Structures are given as structure tokens and as C-alpha cells.
Amino acid sequence: MKPIQRISLVDTIVERLQSEISSGNWPVGTRIPAESELTKVLGVSRPSLREAVRSIVQLGLLEIRQGDGTYVVASDPSEVALRRMLSEADTREVLSVRRALDGLAARDAALHRTDAEVAALEGHLKKRREAVTREDLEAFVDHDVAFHIGIATASHNRLLAGIYASFDTSLRLSVGPNSCMSDNTDEVLDQLHSRLMLAIKERDPEGAAAAALGLLDRSEAMPDTPRD
């Protein structure tokens, strides 16, 4: 009976800690309270707490940094699992899935976007162009990815936005020196991004979906970006 009781206690602690993460009490990027503090608050032993923390680390929600503490690195186990699958997927497979999601996100963003979301999207495009001018690849990638995730957010479909956010890593891998800032490539991509932005701003769902798929067509026509 004792092992069953102990497992039940650890499971209870896991649920409590996960609740702190999913509720936003412990946002992604923050360090969770020290072990001594948590054992007092929860009224549990250090071994039980450590086992619970290890379980959440294995889920991908927490990361133990030696000498620094334990940090929240994700808030949803399903999102972590999806990110892992995407990191192992072939580029062509990712593009195929994105073809379905991008068209839907663009169409819904054109229908439901707010003025503030339009301004944010235009800001990312402006900073994207500025990064090209100064040949700042890191900033270029940051704002390109933020633009596409912002479109999913502007769709006001929380499930779609959550799934699309999982593409962050694959999006970054698809935006590299071979596909973004060489020769006249970015001039063409910039025009396609502008067309997509205009359709969303003018609340043209069909035009937005067509522009989003046009961008993917262009991406598929380019050489694969090397993976690390």
C-alpha cells in the first residue's frame, strides 16, 4: 500500500505544480520557487517534491539549470510534444501541414483582425525590411517569424494560434541565408508579404489565403535550409 500512496502523493504534487504553470502564476521564462519554499507551502517531503519536479522536467515544462534553479520553459505538454515531432519532421512535411494552416490563419485574420493587430503586423514587416538593409539575419528571422505567428494570433482562433506557435523552430529553420537575404530573393518575398499584409488589412479573406499560399509556394521552390 505504501508505494501506491507515495505515487498518489507525487501525482498530486505534479498536478499542483502544473496548475501553477498553466494558470500563468509561473510564466514561461521564470524561475520557480526554491525547493525549501515549495516543501513548506505544499507540506510535502523533499524526495516527493524532487520526484514530481523530475516528472515535469520529462514533460518538457521545466528545465533544471545547475547552480541557478529550475525554470519554466513551456506551459502545455501537448505543445511540447508537437514541437518535438516538428523538430524531427522533414521540411517538406512541415510545409505540407503549414499549407493547410497558413491559408486558414490568413483567411480568419482578414475576417477578425483588430486595428492593433494590423499595426503590430505592419511593424514586424517594417523591422524585417530594416534588418535586410543592415544585413542583420537574426533580427530578420525574429520579425519574419513574429509576423507569421501574429497572423495566427489575429485569426482569434486559440486552437489554431496554439498549434501554429509550435512551428516557431521550424519557421526559423526555414528562414535562413539560402532563402531570405541573398540576391533578389528577399525582394520577391517582401512583395508577397506585402500582398498578404494588404489583404488582411483590407479584410479580404480569399486574397489573404491566396497570398499566404503564394508565400509557401515560393518557399517550396527554394533549396532546403540546412539543419544543425
Side-chain angles (χ1 to χ4, degrees):
M1 295 297 295
K2 288 184 178 180
I4 294 176
Q5 291 176 345
R6 184 166 181 273
I7 290 173
S8 177
L9 174 61
V10 171
D11 287 344
T12 299
I13 300 171
V14 168
E15 289 180 3
R16 179 71 179 275
L17 298 183
Q18 280 192 265
S19 176
E20 293 297 312
I21 296 171
S22 62
S23 68
N25 287 338
W26 294 348
V28 173
T30 61
R31 183 172 57 188
I32 70 172
E35 186 179 88
S36 57
E37 181 180 344
L38 286 175
T39 54
K40 289 182 180 179
V41 171
L42 299 174
V44 298
S45 66
R46 287 177 182 264
S48 294
L49 177 63
R50 288 172 182 170
E51 186 172 341
V53 169
R54 281 197 297 270
S55 295
I56 301 177
V57 168
Q58 291 176 351
L59 286 175
L61 303 184
L62 293 177
E63 178 181 85
I64 298 174
R65 301 175 185 174
Q66 296 300 325
D68 190 15
T70 302
Y71 285 78
V72 180
V73 293
S75 59
D76 185 347
S78 61
E79 182 178 324
V80 173
L82 183 55
R83 285 180 184 273
R84 287 173 177 167
M85 288 181 63
L86 287 169
S87 69
E88 298 171 358
D90 181 84
T91 301
R92 300 298 178 184
E93 294 177 333
V94 173
L95 285 172
S96 179
V97 174
R98 277 190 58 197
R99 179 170 291 280
L101 295 180
D102 279 29
L104 176 59
R107 181 180 292 106
D108 283 1
L111 291 171
H112 305 298
R113 96 297 186 280
T114 64
D115 290 343
E117 287 164 341
V118 167
L121 291 172
E122 290 179 328
H124 286 306
L125 279 190
K126 179 182 178 182
K127 291 176 181 178
R128 180 183 183 279
R129 295 185 185 106
E130 292 172 350
V132 173
T133 300
R134 63 176 185 270
E135 298 184 351
D136 185 343
L137 180 60
E138 182 176 356
F140 178 93
V141 172
D142 285 343
H143 290 293
D144 189 273
V145 171
F147 174 77
H148 290 287
I149 291 179
I151 291 175
T153 301
S155 74
H156 291 252
N157 181 324
R158 289 185 299 173
L159 177 59
L160 175 61
I163 294 174
Y164 204 93
S166 301
F167 280 85
D168 180 275
T169 299
S170 64
L171 283 170
R172 290 178 181 278
L173 287 171
S174 69
V175 182
N178 292 337
S179 61
C180 296
M181 300 176 70
S182 59
D183 302 324
N184 296 320
T185 298
D186 188 64
E187 182 178 348
V188 175
L189 288 174
D190 186 61
Q191 291 173 358
L192 292 170
H193 279 81
S194 296
R195 187 180 307 166
L196 173 57
M197 181 71 254
L198 182 61
I200 291 173
K201 187 174 184 177
E202 295 186 344
R203 298 188 184 277
D204 175 6
E206 298 308 318
L213 295 179
L215 270 171
L216 281 178
D217 287 339
R218 181 68 182 182
S219 298
E220 288 181 307
M222 293 175 184
D224 290 343
T225 304
R227 292 177 181 262
D228 292 336

